[in-house]
Amino acid sequence: MPAGPSLRCAFPAHFLAILAALSLTALFSPPAIAALDNDFNDPQRCAACHPDIFSQWEGSLHAQAAEDGVFRKFFEMVVEEVGPAAVGFCMKCHSPVGVLRGEVPPATGEKLSPVALKGVFCDFCHTVTPKGGIGNAAFETTFSATKRGPLDNAVSPAHATKTDGFYQRSEFCGMCHNVTHPISGRPIERTYEEWKESPYNTGDPATATQCQDCHMRQTPENPGTGAAGKRDNPGKAAVMGPERPHIWTHYFVGGNALYPDRPNAVRRREMVEDRLRHAAKLEILAEDAPKRAGDLATFRVRVHNVGAGHKLPTGLSEVREIWLDVSVTDAKGKVLLRSGEIGEGGGIDPTSAIFKTFLGIGKTNVKLSCCFFAIGERSKILSAERITRDRRILPKGYDEEKYAFRVPEGAAFPITVAAKLNYRSMSQAFANIFYPDGTLTVPVLQMAESAHMFGRPKKNAAKP
């Protein structure tokens, strides 16, 4: 009986290589290489092929958008004030899948399914359909088996792919990060417009710095601000994918360092601090230098926005707090001027220079206000109607505060001026409203510091 054809003759060598690769895939690839569900997938499914990106996202506020403690308490307060109309308005960005599925209301979130509780997650972002326009959730939540993204020639064994340049433009972020009050028309958040009107938006895609160029380039080694420049992050988007010169990161770090019990909280806190330290710079400009006791000394502290492509602060900028903490001491340590201390109750010294927006009701200014409400007498909730003052620092711009002190008798030269720029993601007073038991302490993070010394005057300086 003649021998049959050998396997080597029957199949070309390249076909054998393909068979070998498929066999290894079957043996060693994670289960998620099978086709994904024909519905919104839990991000854990995506993690099988995209473990690094999943780990970055898991510690982000996008992952916590639907369930972080402060948002939930704040949201319930808003709904109590405004009514059911606020439920869908807020949650369309915080839990878009929950809104699509009719799982809200109630505001308390007990009807949210596990995947809806994931907030802003992989399958939402990579299948969302922009509606056109900017802000107030300018999108449709639409599931698709085809996952869209910015990479060319992306091939996956789990789903179809499509390249879409929209993912690399600020307009993608602007779908949610530009918010207008649905009743009064008052601006609530203008992060996208702040970028659009900034020097970072040159109008030319080849030279503009998009939102993604800061917030999706940051790594633990790269602060990802305008001051740091555009640094690529080489690597793989998927474990079986090719090496690429740049992979967009998914840490989505802003200025919030709360929630130490969440995934990757230590890493996120360090990245928040790194970002803030590379967003601003302080400069002390001496004016009238003192020469003897009784002299009036003056100086200015200038705050530069060197790294943020939007105003400092941005977002809910009536809640955020950036302020100058300034002290003047003589050579013996005697304090000659102090501004910007935090009191025992967590409030900031009212003499300090605070950079934020302030809201009001009618002709009345209010100290505690946010989005839909202002608190006048702690238990009284009223609609916040207007912006009374906007003292924030423009991208690549600066603001400054002037200080003066008189040198007392016996003061020892040299005299040192020390300035720090501090940041809190919300005031402690707001935290105490949401957590009246005092269990939430808002961390104070330092963005920048500077010092200046008024030197020892010449002996026997003649009096004027």
Side-chain angles (χ1 to χ4, degrees), residues 9 61 75 130 172 186 254 281 364:
C9 297
L61 287 182
F75 179 48
F172 188 89
R186 178 180 64 76
K281 183 181 74 172
T364 304

PDB file of all heavy atoms in Angstrom, residues 9 61 75 130 172 186 254 281 364:
ATOM      1  N   CYS A   9       4.114  17.919   2.736  1.00  0.00           N
ATOM      2  CA  CYS A   9       3.774  18.177   1.342  1.00  0.00           C
ATOM      3  C   CYS A   9       2.357  18.724   1.212  1.00  0.00           C
ATOM      4  O   CYS A   9       2.062  19.498   0.312  1.00  0.00           O
ATOM      5  CB  CYS A   9       3.887  16.888   0.523  1.00  0.00           C
ATOM      6  SG  CYS A   9       5.580  16.242   0.480  1.00  0.00           S
ATOM      7  N   LEU A  61     -11.936  58.346  38.576  1.00  0.00           N
ATOM      8  CA  LEU A  61     -13.257  58.839  38.951  1.00  0.00           C
ATOM      9  C   LEU A  61     -14.291  58.529  37.879  1.00  0.00           C
ATOM     10  O   LEU A  61     -15.489  58.561  38.162  1.00  0.00           O
ATOM     11  CB  LEU A  61     -13.200  60.339  39.229  1.00  0.00           C
ATOM     12  CG  LEU A  61     -12.498  60.711  40.532  1.00  0.00           C
ATOM     13  CD1 LEU A  61     -12.534  62.212  40.748  1.00  0.00           C
ATOM     14  CD2 LEU A  61     -13.121  60.011  41.723  1.00  0.00           C
ATOM     15  N   PHE A  75     -26.030  64.403  44.866  1.00  0.00           N
ATOM     16  CA  PHE A  75     -27.063  64.151  43.876  1.00  0.00           C
ATOM     17  C   PHE A  75     -28.438  64.046  44.533  1.00  0.00           C
ATOM     18  O   PHE A  75     -29.429  64.609  44.046  1.00  0.00           O
ATOM     19  CB  PHE A  75     -26.714  62.875  43.115  1.00  0.00           C
ATOM     20  CG  PHE A  75     -27.708  62.471  42.065  1.00  0.00           C
ATOM     21  CD1 PHE A  75     -28.184  63.381  41.142  1.00  0.00           C
ATOM     22  CD2 PHE A  75     -28.146  61.165  41.991  1.00  0.00           C
ATOM     23  CE1 PHE A  75     -29.087  63.004  40.169  1.00  0.00           C
ATOM     24  CE2 PHE A  75     -29.050  60.780  41.021  1.00  0.00           C
ATOM     25  CZ  PHE A  75     -29.525  61.699  40.111  1.00  0.00           C
ATOM     26  N   PRO A 130     -21.943  60.348  19.297  1.00  0.00           N
ATOM     27  CA  PRO A 130     -22.119  61.790  19.512  1.00  0.00           C
ATOM     28  C   PRO A 130     -23.355  62.308  18.781  1.00  0.00           C
ATOM     29  O   PRO A 130     -23.660  61.883  17.668  1.00  0.00           O
ATOM     30  CB  PRO A 130     -20.837  62.401  18.933  1.00  0.00           C
ATOM     31  CG  PRO A 130     -19.863  61.269  18.861  1.00  0.00           C
ATOM     32  CD  PRO A 130     -20.669  60.034  18.633  1.00  0.00           C
ATOM     33  N   PHE A 172     -14.776  65.240  22.145  1.00  0.00           N
ATOM     34  CA  PHE A 172     -15.241  63.999  22.780  1.00  0.00           C
ATOM     35  C   PHE A 172     -15.473  64.236  24.270  1.00  0.00           C
ATOM     36  O   PHE A 172     -16.505  63.857  24.821  1.00  0.00           O
ATOM     37  CB  PHE A 172     -14.216  62.884  22.553  1.00  0.00           C
ATOM     38  CG  PHE A 172     -14.700  61.527  22.998  1.00  0.00           C
ATOM     39  CD1 PHE A 172     -15.390  60.703  22.128  1.00  0.00           C
ATOM     40  CD2 PHE A 172     -14.476  61.071  24.293  1.00  0.00           C
ATOM     41  CE1 PHE A 172     -15.847  59.449  22.532  1.00  0.00           C
ATOM     42  CE2 PHE A 172     -14.924  59.831  24.706  1.00  0.00           C
ATOM     43  CZ  PHE A 172     -15.614  59.017  23.826  1.00  0.00           C
ATOM     44  N   ARG A 186     -27.723  78.969  33.645  1.00  0.00           N
ATOM     45  CA  ARG A 186     -26.445  79.397  34.199  1.00  0.00           C
ATOM     46  C   ARG A 186     -25.376  78.351  33.925  1.00  0.00           C
ATOM     47  O   ARG A 186     -25.624  77.150  34.021  1.00  0.00           O
ATOM     48  CB  ARG A 186     -26.583  79.602  35.726  1.00  0.00           C
ATOM     49  CG  ARG A 186     -25.286  80.014  36.393  1.00  0.00           C
ATOM     50  CD  ARG A 186     -25.479  80.188  37.882  1.00  0.00           C
ATOM     51  NE  ARG A 186     -25.825  78.951  38.557  1.00  0.00           N
ATOM     52  CZ  ARG A 186     -24.959  77.985  38.835  1.00  0.00           C
ATOM     53  NH1 ARG A 186     -23.701  78.096  38.465  1.00  0.00           N
ATOM     54  NH2 ARG A 186     -25.346  76.903  39.478  1.00  0.00           N
ATOM     55  N   GLY A 254      -7.610  64.031  37.671  1.00  0.00           N
ATOM     56  CA  GLY A 254      -7.901  65.451  37.809  1.00  0.00           C
ATOM     57  C   GLY A 254      -7.298  65.945  39.109  1.00  0.00           C
ATOM     58  O   GLY A 254      -6.125  65.715  39.377  1.00  0.00           O
ATOM     59  N   LYS A 281       2.623  77.888  39.153  1.00  0.00           N
ATOM     60  CA  LYS A 281       3.906  78.379  39.633  1.00  0.00           C
ATOM     61  C   LYS A 281       3.668  79.671  40.405  1.00  0.00           C
ATOM     62  O   LYS A 281       2.807  80.478  40.026  1.00  0.00           O
ATOM     63  CB  LYS A 281       4.855  78.632  38.448  1.00  0.00           C
ATOM     64  CG  LYS A 281       6.254  79.074  38.842  1.00  0.00           C
ATOM     65  CD  LYS A 281       7.127  79.323  37.620  1.00  0.00           C
ATOM     66  CE  LYS A 281       6.742  80.617  36.928  1.00  0.00           C
ATOM     67  NZ  LYS A 281       7.694  80.977  35.851  1.00  0.00           N
ATOM     68  N   THR A 364     -28.070  88.571  46.723  1.00  0.00           N
ATOM     69  CA  THR A 364     -27.360  88.051  47.891  1.00  0.00           C
ATOM     70  C   THR A 364     -26.256  87.096  47.473  1.00  0.00           C
ATOM     71  O   THR A 364     -26.488  86.172  46.693  1.00  0.00           O
ATOM     72  CB  THR A 364     -28.332  87.313  48.833  1.00  0.00           C
ATOM     73  OG1 THR A 364     -29.389  88.199  49.186  1.00  0.00           O
ATOM     74  CG2 THR A 364     -27.617  86.842  50.091  1.00  0.00           C
TER      75      THR A 364
END
